[in-house]
Amino acid sequence: MLSVTAQQSRFHNEAIEGSALKEIVVKDLSISVGDREILSHADFQLQVGKHYVLVGRNGLGKSTLLQAIATGQISSIPQNLRVLLLGQNQSNLDKDLGSLTLSETTVLEHVVKSNQKRERLLHEEQVLSSAIEHKEPTEAVRAYRTVCHGRLERKLHEAKQIALRRSGARGIKSRQVLNHLEEELKQSEQK
């Protein structure tokens, strides 16, 4: 089990979500996998336009840190930051590319396919288009509800992440939003 904690200013997310992101500051970051502590009370700062290298021997937690950043588990990194991780070993590539071999796809095609938001939108388009081509009104309605339900599930997941991070008045409001979304999801499941 991955456990990630970091210090977060109360006003940090509002400041960076409303403006162009110029830097990311992470303070007091601790990451543990089970009982093993990977990072303890680490600080780092990333600035736009700069290149960084993460160096260390195998097993120190470089990939775990990047995975925590990519999956939005570090509270002081804004949720609207897009991160793309490409695997470096053959088993990751086989899993990511499915039945394709390396000679059948370019790096650019792999990167484009790795854009989860784009792939999700393309999938939604395919579901809706095939329902419309089916020429049966109930199919189009069912497809639309399926797409909306999937979007609601993702929105609920994001709301859970936000509610976990916030406390006080902001935390109460976040939990109210979360409760409302949970109720909406129940109604969507019934439809």
Side-chain angles (χ1 to χ4, degrees):
M1 180 178 144
L2 183 65
S3 173
V4 180
T5 60
Q7 181 183 31
Q8 179 183 12
S9 164
R10 179 182 300 175
F11 305 104
H12 181 74
N13 278 348
E14 283 79 3
I16 54 181
E17 287 173 357
S19 64
L21 185 64
K22 297 197 175 168
E23 71 178 350
I24 295 172
V25 178
V26 177
K27 293 184 179 184
D28 198 29
L29 175 66
S30 296
I31 298 178
S32 299
V33 178
D35 293 337
R36 183 172 174 231
E37 192 168 61
I38 305 286
L39 282 174
S40 177
H41 306 290
D43 298 339
F44 67 89
Q45 180 177 343
L46 304 173
Q47 296 178 349
V48 170
K50 302 240 176 169
H51 298 268
Y52 297 90
V53 177
L54 192 56
V55 179
R57 67 181 196 273
N58 290 342
L60 289 180
K62 299 179 300 289
S63 297
T64 304
L65 171 62
L66 293 174
Q67 190 68 35
I69 291 171
T71 56
Q73 295 182 54
I74 301 175
S75 59
S76 52
I77 295 181
Q79 291 292 306
N80 60 353
L81 182 71
R82 288 192 335 169
V83 177
L84 173 64
L85 296 179
L86 296 175
Q88 68 182 17
N89 59 30
Q90 188 64 40
S91 64
N92 283 347
L93 289 174
D94 289 342
K95 182 178 72 177
D96 292 344
L97 296 175
S99 62
L100 296 176
T101 62
L102 292 177
S103 61
E104 293 177 6
T105 186
T106 66
V107 172
L108 178 60
E109 289 169 335
H110 181 65
V111 170
V112 169
K113 283 190 171 284
S114 297
N115 184 337
Q116 292 178 355
K117 184 176 181 180
R118 177 185 179 275
E119 291 298 310
R120 186 174 60 247
L121 290 172
L122 288 172
H123 174 73
E124 288 176 358
E125 179 205 17
Q126 179 191 12
V127 168
L128 294 170
S129 295
S130 66
I132 290 171
E133 290 172 4
H134 204 272
K135 296 186 180 182
E136 193 174 318
T138 57
E139 283 299 315
V141 171
R142 185 175 294 122
Y144 174 75
R145 286 182 177 167
T146 300
V147 167
C148 289
H149 186 77
R151 288 181 177 184
L152 191 55
E153 286 177 326
R154 287 186 295 280
K155 196 173 179 182
L156 178 65
H157 176 73
E158 291 170 8
K160 283 180 182 178
Q161 297 300 315
I162 292 169
L164 286 173
R165 294 184 190 157
R166 294 190 175 160
S167 62
R170 293 174 58 226
I172 291 170
K173 185 175 180 182
S174 297
R175 284 184 287 286
Q176 288 172 342
V177 169
L178 180 61
N179 290 338
H180 178 71
L181 287 172
E182 286 174 342
E183 188 59 37
E184 271 189 63
L185 188 66
K186 285 180 187 175
Q187 292 173 6
S188 177
E189 287 172 348
Q190 291 173 353
K191 289 181 182 180

